[in-house]
Amino acid sequence: MANINQFDIELISNLNEKRVWAFIPEFFNRNPQYCGCKNCILDIAALALNSVVPCYQVGDEDIEAARRKVSDEDIYRAIVKAAEQVNKVPHHN
Ligand SMILES: [Zn+2]
């Protein structure tokens, strides 16, 4: 349990963040030409997450509510765009 003031902040989650992470393995399966090192994956996730509006929910997750606002295709496109950017200027060694 993680609290800020008296609030258990772990009860609030950004469902779209989970969706981005869920699509990343599929992205690399389809696009093995991109570097999948830890640095690049974190950079791709951060960039993608900055471009996807959050969908905060409390308690039970309602994936359909999240999909009505941001489709699976939108999530996937954000990852593709982020990977292209990271590929141009990678931060790995
Ligand atoms: Zn890399």
Side-chain angles (χ1 to χ4, degrees), residues 20-92:
V20 165
W21 281 114
F23 269 116
I24 282 182
E26 183 182 329
F27 169 79
F28 279 101
N29 284 341
R30 287 196 206 168
N31 301 279
Q33 71 273 27
Y34 288 99
C35 178
C37 78
K38 202 189 283 182
N39 287 352
C40 288
I41 290 176
L42 289 173
D43 282 343
I44 289 167
L47 272 174
L49 285 166
N50 279 336
S51 70
V52 173
V53 294
C55 181
Y56 286 101
Q57 296 184 356
V58 177
D60 292 338
E61 293 176 353
D62 184 349
I63 186 87
E64 290 310 318
R67 282 195 179 118
R68 281 194 292 276
K69 294 175 191 161
V70 179
S71 70
D72 285 348
E73 291 74 23
D74 291 334
I75 298 273
Y76 195 81
R77 266 193 295 273
I79 294 170
V80 170
K81 198 174 162 199
E84 286 168 353
Q85 281 179 262
V86 170
N87 192 46
K88 282 182 202 156
V89 190
H91 290 128
H92 56 208

